[in-house]
Amino acid sequence: DTGVSQDPRHKITKRGQNVTFRCDPISEHNRLYWYRQTLGQGPEFLTYFQNEAQLEKSRLLSDRFSAERPKGSFSTLEIQRTEQGDSAMYLCASSLVAWGSTETQYFGPGTRLLVL
Amino acid sequence: DAKTTQPNSMESNEEEPVHLPCNHSTISGTDYIHWYRQLPSQGPEYVIHGRTSNVNNRMASLAIAEDRKSSTLILHRATLRDAAVYYCIHGGSNYKLTFGKGTLLTVNP
């Protein structure tokens, strides 16, 4: 399967621990997005990359959150000193942006985080 | 952020057509209208998009009002697999998607 993959699919951690999630986008896609989704709500934008450059970060992304896309391929999202409020589904999406057309984002299955 | 208005929930019977409405009165001339859906325990899935003309693909049809302030996603024959939350999105920028709460579609056998 050549879709967007995310690892792990589920993560349970204790408050105060650090966690890292990985996203592998569709090959050749130049944009990669991270979203967060809490129960009963639609996904909320966190940040996005154009190739390896991080171009925007939401105000939702506190100092404890950091994202990287070192070689313009896979990306990692790290949360330091997790809090119970970080419990959510973290979604990754990728797209291929071409001049003169709108983009379609393809989402991964998400990583469900539970902070105890 | 661009806002859309959708009913919280709708119900349909299997093999019947479903019309999912969306109001986007603040849409600008360059905005596209995107529809995504999210099945239980999965990430959102692209359904269809358009700007001015009605659009068809293998999954659905998109009917866009002449003033572009509303649109309707049409599933021609609902199946149980179509039960999902459907999100209507428009944006002024060609990147981040601003999701609302969407419409929860229930399909009855």
Side-chain angles (χ1 to χ4, degrees), chain A residues 9 31 33 35 37 40-45 48 56 89 91 97 100-110 112, chain B residues 1 32 34 36 38 40-50 85 87 93-102:
Chain A
R9 293 292 306 278
R31 278 196 183 164
Y33 297 80
Y35 292 83
Q37 185 174 27
Q41 305 295 317
E44 296 173 291
F45 169 81
Y48 89 102
E56 185 174 334
M89 173 80 87
L91 293 159
V97 177
S101 68
T102 189
E103 64 178 291
T104 295
Q105 295 184 24
Y106 296 87
F107 285 80
R112 187 170 293 282
Chain B
D1 286 344
Y32 279 79
H34 302 261
Y36 283 75
Q38 189 170 22
S41 301
Q42 295 188 27
E45 173 188 30
Y46 166 78
V47 178
I48 199 166
H49 75 274
V85 178
Y87 298 100
S93 301
N94 199 22
Y95 61 107
K96 65 184 176 185
L97 298 173
T98 301
F99 290 83
K101 290 190 176 182

Side-chain angles (χ1 to χ4, degrees), chain A residues 25-36:
Chain A
I26 293 172
S27 180
E28 307 304 323
H29 276 193
N30 51 8
R31 278 196 183 164
L32 187 147
Y33 297 80
W34 286 98
Y35 292 83
R36 181 173 70 185

Side-chain angles (χ1 to χ4, degrees), chain B residues 6-21 35-40 47 59-60 73-87 101-108:
Chain B
Q6 299 178 253
N8 290 333
S9 62
M10 291 186 64
E11 207 167 318
S12 172
N13 295 320
E14 206 175 2
E15 298 192 5
E16 289 185 357
V18 181
H19 291 233
L20 296 164
W35 283 81
Y36 283 75
R37 72 180 185 181
Q38 189 170 22
L39 279 63
V47 178
M59 289 181 71
L73 179 71
I74 302 164
L75 307 179
H76 295 285
R77 290 182 67 211
T79 69
L80 297 178
R81 264 200 39 114
D82 292 321
V85 178
Y86 286 78
Y87 298 100
K101 290 190 176 182
T103 296
L104 175 63
L105 175 65
T106 302
V107 180
N108 300 314

